[in-house]
Short mmCIF file of all heavy atoms in Angstrom, two decimals:
data_model
loop_
_atom_site.label_atom_id
_atom_site.label_comp_id
_atom_site.label_asym_id
_atom_site.label_seq_id
_atom_site.Cartn_x
_atom_site.Cartn_y
_atom_site.Cartn_z
N ALA A 1 -12.25 5.60 -3.88
CA ALA A 1 -12.00 6.91 -3.28
C ALA A 1 -11.11 6.79 -2.05
O ALA A 1 -10.37 7.70 -1.72
CB ALA A 1 -13.32 7.58 -2.91
N ALA A 2 -11.17 5.65 -1.39
CA ALA A 2 -10.37 5.46 -0.19
C ALA A 2 -8.99 4.89 -0.49
O ALA A 2 -8.18 4.71 0.42
CB ALA A 2 -11.11 4.53 0.77
N GLY A 3 -8.71 4.61 -1.76
CA GLY A 3 -7.40 4.08 -2.12
C GLY A 3 -7.22 2.61 -1.79
O GLY A 3 -6.10 2.14 -1.59
N LEU A 4 -8.32 1.85 -1.71
CA LEU A 4 -8.25 0.46 -1.28
C LEU A 4 -8.36 -0.53 -2.42
O LEU A 4 -8.23 -1.74 -2.20
CB LEU A 4 -9.37 0.18 -0.25
CG LEU A 4 -9.36 1.08 1.00
CD1 LEU A 4 -10.47 0.68 1.94
CD2 LEU A 4 -8.02 1.03 1.69
N VAL A 5 -8.61 -0.07 -3.65
CA VAL A 5 -8.67 -0.97 -4.79
C VAL A 5 -7.25 -1.47 -5.11
O VAL A 5 -6.30 -0.69 -5.15
CB VAL A 5 -9.27 -0.26 -6.03
CG1 VAL A 5 -9.23 -1.18 -7.25
CG2 VAL A 5 -10.69 0.19 -5.74
N ASN A 6 -7.11 -2.78 -5.30
CA ASN A 6 -5.79 -3.38 -5.57
C ASN A 6 -4.77 -2.98 -4.51
O ASN A 6 -3.61 -2.71 -4.83
CB ASN A 6 -5.29 -2.97 -6.95
CG ASN A 6 -6.24 -3.37 -8.06
OD1 ASN A 6 -6.78 -4.48 -8.06
ND2 ASN A 6 -6.44 -2.48 -9.02
N PHE A 7 -5.20 -2.96 -3.24
CA PHE A 7 -4.33 -2.49 -2.18
C PHE A 7 -3.03 -3.28 -2.12
O PHE A 7 -1.94 -2.70 -2.07
CB PHE A 7 -5.05 -2.56 -0.82
CG PHE A 7 -4.14 -2.30 0.35
CD1 PHE A 7 -3.80 -1.01 0.71
CD2 PHE A 7 -3.58 -3.36 1.07
CE1 PHE A 7 -2.95 -0.76 1.77
CE2 PHE A 7 -2.73 -3.12 2.13
CZ PHE A 7 -2.41 -1.82 2.48
N GLU A 8 -3.12 -4.61 -2.14
CA GLU A 8 -1.92 -5.43 -1.93
C GLU A 8 -1.03 -5.47 -3.16
O GLU A 8 0.18 -5.28 -3.08
CB GLU A 8 -2.30 -6.84 -1.51
CG GLU A 8 -1.11 -7.69 -1.11
CD GLU A 8 -1.50 -8.97 -0.41
OE1 GLU A 8 -2.39 -8.91 0.47
OE2 GLU A 8 -0.92 -10.02 -0.73
N GLU A 9 -1.62 -5.73 -4.33
CA GLU A 9 -0.80 -5.87 -5.54
C GLU A 9 -0.49 -4.55 -6.22
O GLU A 9 0.43 -4.45 -7.04
CB GLU A 9 -1.49 -6.80 -6.54
CG GLU A 9 -2.83 -6.31 -7.07
CD GLU A 9 -4.00 -6.70 -6.20
OE1 GLU A 9 -3.79 -6.96 -4.99
OE2 GLU A 9 -5.13 -6.73 -6.71
N GLY A 10 -1.23 -3.49 -5.87
CA GLY A 10 -1.02 -2.19 -6.50
C GLY A 10 -1.52 -2.18 -7.94
O GLY A 10 -2.13 -3.14 -8.43
N TYR A 11 -1.25 -1.07 -8.63
CA TYR A 11 -1.66 -0.95 -10.03
C TYR A 11 -0.61 -0.10 -10.74
O TYR A 11 -0.82 1.07 -11.03
CB TYR A 11 -3.05 -0.32 -10.14
CG TYR A 11 -3.58 -0.29 -11.55
CD1 TYR A 11 -3.93 -1.47 -12.20
CD2 TYR A 11 -3.73 0.92 -12.22
CE1 TYR A 11 -4.41 -1.44 -13.50
CE2 TYR A 11 -4.22 0.96 -13.52
CZ TYR A 11 -4.55 -0.24 -14.15
OH TYR A 11 -5.03 -0.21 -15.44
N MET A 12 0.53 -0.72 -11.04
CA MET A 12 1.65 0.02 -11.61
C MET A 12 1.39 0.47 -13.05
O MET A 12 2.06 1.38 -13.55
CB MET A 12 2.92 -0.82 -11.54
CG MET A 12 3.45 -1.02 -10.12
SD MET A 12 3.66 0.54 -9.22
CE MET A 12 4.90 1.36 -10.21
N LYS A 13 0.41 -0.14 -13.72
CA LYS A 13 0.07 0.31 -15.07
C LYS A 13 -0.45 1.75 -15.06
O LYS A 13 -0.32 2.47 -16.04
CB LYS A 13 -0.97 -0.61 -15.70
CG LYS A 13 -0.45 -1.99 -16.06
CD LYS A 13 -1.53 -2.82 -16.73
CE LYS A 13 -0.98 -4.19 -17.14
NZ LYS A 13 -2.03 -5.02 -17.78
N GLY A 14 -1.03 2.14 -13.94
CA GLY A 14 -1.55 3.50 -13.83
C GLY A 14 -0.57 4.47 -13.21
O GLY A 14 -0.88 5.65 -13.04
N PHE A 15 0.63 4.00 -12.88
CA PHE A 15 1.64 4.84 -12.23
C PHE A 15 2.26 5.77 -13.26
O PHE A 15 2.80 5.33 -14.28
CB PHE A 15 2.71 3.96 -11.59
CG PHE A 15 3.49 4.62 -10.51
CD1 PHE A 15 2.92 4.91 -9.28
CD2 PHE A 15 4.83 4.95 -10.69
CE1 PHE A 15 3.65 5.51 -8.26
CE2 PHE A 15 5.57 5.54 -9.68
CZ PHE A 15 4.96 5.83 -8.46
N ASN A 16 2.18 7.09 -13.00
CA ASN A 16 2.64 8.10 -13.95
C ASN A 16 3.91 8.76 -13.43
O ASN A 16 3.86 9.44 -12.40
CB ASN A 16 1.55 9.14 -14.18
CG ASN A 16 1.89 10.13 -15.27
OD1 ASN A 16 3.04 10.27 -15.68
ND2 ASN A 16 0.88 10.85 -15.76
N PRO A 17 5.04 8.62 -14.11
CA PRO A 17 6.30 9.23 -13.64
C PRO A 17 6.25 10.74 -13.54
O PRO A 17 7.10 11.33 -12.87
CB PRO A 17 7.32 8.79 -14.72
CG PRO A 17 6.71 7.60 -15.36
CD PRO A 17 5.23 7.84 -15.34
N GLU A 18 5.29 11.37 -14.19
CA GLU A 18 5.21 12.83 -14.18
C GLU A 18 4.25 13.37 -13.13
O GLU A 18 4.03 14.58 -13.05
CB GLU A 18 4.80 13.33 -15.58
CG GLU A 18 5.81 12.96 -16.66
CD GLU A 18 5.41 13.49 -18.02
OE1 GLU A 18 4.33 14.14 -18.12
OE2 GLU A 18 6.15 13.28 -18.99
N VAL A 19 3.69 12.49 -12.33
CA VAL A 19 2.76 12.89 -11.27
C VAL A 19 3.46 12.72 -9.93
O VAL A 19 4.18 11.75 -9.71
CB VAL A 19 1.47 12.06 -11.32
CG1 VAL A 19 0.56 12.39 -10.14
CG2 VAL A 19 0.74 12.31 -12.64
N ALA A 20 3.25 13.66 -9.03
CA ALA A 20 3.91 13.63 -7.72
C ALA A 20 3.55 12.35 -6.96
O ALA A 20 2.44 11.82 -7.07
CB ALA A 20 3.50 14.85 -6.90
N LEU A 21 4.50 11.86 -6.18
CA LEU A 21 4.34 10.59 -5.48
C LEU A 21 3.12 10.59 -4.57
O LEU A 21 2.37 9.61 -4.54
CB LEU A 21 5.61 10.29 -4.66
CG LEU A 21 5.58 9.04 -3.79
CD1 LEU A 21 5.37 7.79 -4.64
CD2 LEU A 21 6.86 8.94 -2.97
N HIS A 22 2.92 11.67 -3.80
CA HIS A 22 1.83 11.66 -2.83
C HIS A 22 0.46 11.65 -3.49
O HIS A 22 -0.55 11.40 -2.83
CB HIS A 22 1.95 12.84 -1.87
CG HIS A 22 1.65 14.17 -2.48
ND1 HIS A 22 2.62 14.94 -3.08
CD2 HIS A 22 0.50 14.86 -2.61
CE1 HIS A 22 2.08 16.06 -3.53
NE2 HIS A 22 0.80 16.03 -3.26
N GLU A 23 0.40 11.90 -4.80
CA GLU A 23 -0.87 11.85 -5.52
C GLU A 23 -1.22 10.44 -5.98
O GLU A 23 -2.36 10.18 -6.33
CB GLU A 23 -0.80 12.77 -6.75
CG GLU A 23 -0.72 14.25 -6.43
CD GLU A 23 -2.04 14.78 -5.91
OE1 GLU A 23 -3.06 14.65 -6.59
OE2 GLU A 23 -2.04 15.33 -4.79
N GLN A 24 -0.25 9.52 -5.99
CA GLN A 24 -0.51 8.20 -6.57
C GLN A 24 0.18 7.07 -5.82
O GLN A 24 0.30 5.95 -6.33
CB GLN A 24 -0.05 8.18 -8.03
CG GLN A 24 1.41 8.60 -8.21
CD GLN A 24 1.86 8.53 -9.66
OE1 GLN A 24 1.17 7.98 -10.53
NE2 GLN A 24 3.02 9.08 -9.94
N ALA A 25 0.62 7.32 -4.59
CA ALA A 25 1.33 6.29 -3.83
C ALA A 25 0.45 5.08 -3.57
O ALA A 25 0.96 3.97 -3.39
CB ALA A 25 1.85 6.87 -2.52
N ASP A 26 -0.88 5.26 -3.56
CA ASP A 26 -1.77 4.12 -3.33
C ASP A 26 -1.71 3.10 -4.47
O ASP A 26 -2.17 1.96 -4.31
CB ASP A 26 -3.21 4.60 -3.13
CG ASP A 26 -3.69 5.51 -4.24
OD1 ASP A 26 -2.88 6.29 -4.77
OD2 ASP A 26 -4.88 5.45 -4.59
N LEU A 27 -1.11 3.47 -5.62
CA LEU A 27 -0.96 2.54 -6.73
C LEU A 27 0.23 1.60 -6.54
O LEU A 27 0.37 0.60 -7.26
CB LEU A 27 -0.77 3.30 -8.05
CG LEU A 27 -1.91 4.25 -8.46
CD1 LEU A 27 -1.55 4.98 -9.75
CD2 LEU A 27 -3.21 3.48 -8.62
N LEU A 28 1.10 1.89 -5.59
CA LEU A 28 2.25 1.05 -5.31
C LEU A 28 1.82 -0.24 -4.61
O LEU A 28 0.83 -0.26 -3.87
CB LEU A 28 3.25 1.79 -4.42
CG LEU A 28 3.93 3.02 -5.02
CD1 LEU A 28 4.66 3.79 -3.93
CD2 LEU A 28 4.89 2.62 -6.14
N PRO A 29 2.54 -1.33 -4.82
CA PRO A 29 2.18 -2.59 -4.14
C PRO A 29 2.50 -2.54 -2.65
O PRO A 29 3.39 -1.82 -2.22
CB PRO A 29 3.04 -3.64 -4.86
CG PRO A 29 4.20 -2.87 -5.40
CD PRO A 29 3.68 -1.51 -5.75
N TYR A 30 1.78 -3.33 -1.89
CA TYR A 30 2.02 -3.46 -0.45
C TYR A 30 3.00 -4.61 -0.22
O TYR A 30 2.90 -5.67 -0.85
CB TYR A 30 0.70 -3.75 0.28
CG TYR A 30 0.86 -4.06 1.75
CD1 TYR A 30 1.34 -3.11 2.63
CD2 TYR A 30 0.52 -5.32 2.25
CE1 TYR A 30 1.48 -3.40 3.98
CE2 TYR A 30 0.65 -5.62 3.60
CZ TYR A 30 1.13 -4.65 4.46
OH TYR A 30 1.27 -4.93 5.79
N ASP A 31 3.98 -4.40 0.63
CA ASP A 31 4.96 -5.43 0.96
C ASP A 31 4.46 -6.22 2.16
O ASP A 31 4.42 -5.71 3.29
CB ASP A 31 6.31 -4.78 1.27
CG ASP A 31 7.43 -5.78 1.47
OD1 ASP A 31 7.13 -6.98 1.66
OD2 ASP A 31 8.61 -5.38 1.43
N THR A 32 4.06 -7.48 1.94
CA THR A 32 3.44 -8.28 3.00
C THR A 32 4.42 -8.63 4.12
O THR A 32 4.00 -9.11 5.18
CB THR A 32 2.85 -9.57 2.42
OG1 THR A 32 3.88 -10.27 1.70
CG2 THR A 32 1.71 -9.26 1.47
N ASP A 33 5.71 -8.40 3.90
CA ASP A 33 6.67 -8.63 4.99
C ASP A 33 6.42 -7.70 6.17
O ASP A 33 6.87 -7.97 7.29
CB ASP A 33 8.11 -8.44 4.50
CG ASP A 33 8.62 -9.63 3.72
OD1 ASP A 33 7.99 -10.70 3.81
OD2 ASP A 33 9.63 -9.49 3.01
N TYR A 34 5.73 -6.61 5.91
CA TYR A 34 5.43 -5.66 6.99
C TYR A 34 4.16 -6.01 7.75
O TYR A 34 3.85 -5.37 8.76
CB TYR A 34 5.30 -4.24 6.42
CG TYR A 34 6.63 -3.59 6.11
CD1 TYR A 34 7.16 -3.64 4.83
CD2 TYR A 34 7.35 -2.95 7.11
CE1 TYR A 34 8.39 -3.04 4.54
CE2 TYR A 34 8.58 -2.36 6.84
CZ TYR A 34 9.09 -2.42 5.55
OH TYR A 34 10.31 -1.85 5.27
N GLU A 35 3.41 -7.01 7.29
CA GLU A 35 2.16 -7.37 7.96
C GLU A 35 2.45 -7.89 9.36
O GLU A 35 3.34 -8.74 9.57
CB GLU A 35 1.40 -8.42 7.15
CG GLU A 35 0.00 -8.67 7.64
CD GLU A 35 -0.91 -7.44 7.52
OE1 GLU A 35 -0.67 -6.60 6.63
OE2 GLU A 35 -1.87 -7.33 8.33
N PHE A 36 1.70 -7.39 10.33
CA PHE A 36 1.92 -7.75 11.73
C PHE A 36 0.59 -8.12 12.37
O PHE A 36 -0.42 -7.43 12.16
CB PHE A 36 2.56 -6.58 12.48
CG PHE A 36 3.04 -6.93 13.85
CD1 PHE A 36 4.21 -7.66 14.03
CD2 PHE A 36 2.33 -6.54 14.98
CE1 PHE A 36 4.67 -7.98 15.30
CE2 PHE A 36 2.77 -6.87 16.25
CZ PHE A 36 3.94 -7.60 16.41
N PRO A 37 0.54 -9.19 13.16
CA PRO A 37 -0.73 -9.63 13.77
C PRO A 37 -1.24 -8.63 14.81
O PRO A 37 -0.50 -8.23 15.71
CB PRO A 37 -0.36 -10.96 14.44
CG PRO A 37 0.92 -11.39 13.80
CD PRO A 37 1.64 -10.13 13.44
N LYS A 38 -2.48 -8.27 14.67
CA LYS A 38 -3.08 -7.30 15.58
C LYS A 38 -3.07 -7.80 17.03
O LYS A 38 -2.91 -7.02 17.98
CB LYS A 38 -4.52 -7.01 15.14
CG LYS A 38 -5.27 -6.03 16.01
CD LYS A 38 -6.69 -5.82 15.51
CE LYS A 38 -7.47 -4.88 16.40
NZ LYS A 38 -8.87 -4.71 15.92
N GLU A 39 -3.22 -9.12 17.20
CA GLU A 39 -3.31 -9.68 18.55
C GLU A 39 -1.98 -9.58 19.31
O GLU A 39 -1.95 -9.80 20.52
CB GLU A 39 -3.78 -11.14 18.50
CG GLU A 39 -2.90 -12.05 17.66
CD GLU A 39 -3.35 -12.13 16.20
OE1 GLU A 39 -4.09 -11.22 15.76
OE2 GLU A 39 -2.95 -13.09 15.52
N ARG A 40 -0.90 -9.25 18.62
CA ARG A 40 0.39 -9.09 19.30
C ARG A 40 0.69 -7.62 19.62
O ARG A 40 1.82 -7.27 19.94
CB ARG A 40 1.51 -9.69 18.43
CG ARG A 40 1.55 -11.19 18.56
CD ARG A 40 2.35 -11.91 17.50
NE ARG A 40 3.63 -11.31 17.18
CZ ARG A 40 4.35 -11.71 16.12
NH1 ARG A 40 3.91 -12.67 15.33
NH2 ARG A 40 5.50 -11.13 15.86
N ILE A 41 -0.33 -6.78 19.53
CA ILE A 41 -0.19 -5.37 19.91
C ILE A 41 -1.03 -5.11 21.16
O ILE A 41 -2.22 -5.41 21.19
CB ILE A 41 -0.67 -4.44 18.78
CG1 ILE A 41 0.09 -4.71 17.49
CG2 ILE A 41 -0.50 -2.98 19.20
CD1 ILE A 41 -0.42 -3.91 16.30
N GLU A 42 -0.38 -4.55 22.16
CA GLU A 42 -1.09 -4.18 23.39
C GLU A 42 -1.03 -2.66 23.54
O GLU A 42 0.04 -2.09 23.74
CB GLU A 42 -0.45 -4.86 24.60
CG GLU A 42 -1.17 -4.56 25.90
CD GLU A 42 -0.54 -5.28 27.08
OE1 GLU A 42 0.26 -6.20 26.86
OE2 GLU A 42 -0.86 -4.90 28.24
N PHE A 43 -2.19 -2.03 23.44
CA PHE A 43 -2.25 -0.57 23.48
C PHE A 43 -2.24 -0.08 24.92
O PHE A 43 -2.81 -0.69 25.82
CB PHE A 43 -3.51 -0.07 22.77
CG PHE A 43 -3.54 -0.41 21.31
CD1 PHE A 43 -4.22 -1.53 20.84
CD2 PHE A 43 -2.87 0.38 20.39
CE1 PHE A 43 -4.24 -1.84 19.50
CE2 PHE A 43 -2.88 0.08 19.04
CZ PHE A 43 -3.57 -1.05 18.60
#
């Protein structure tokens, strides 16, 4: 329900070209190049 299943690899088998992007964007894979260490963030 939270969209966290297969978060990193995604699930493109379930991706439907006829369904709006915002309804199924959680099925897209995560690009690990964007991962950033939390300890390097100062709020």
Side-chain angles (χ1 to χ4, degrees):
L4 303 182
V5 176
N6 302 318
F7 171 81
E8 187 167 316
E9 63 273 23
Y11 185 68
M12 290 308 297
K13 289 183 178 179
F15 201 70
N16 187 343
E18 298 182 359
V19 175
L21 176 61
H22 71 270
E23 292 288 303
Q24 54 178 349
D26 53 325
L27 300 178
L28 294 168
Y30 173 65
D31 187 344
T32 55
D33 282 344
Y34 282 96
E35 190 64 28
F36 190 76
K38 180 181 177 181
E39 57 269 20
R40 281 164 44 190
I41 303 175
E42 182 178 346
F43 297 97

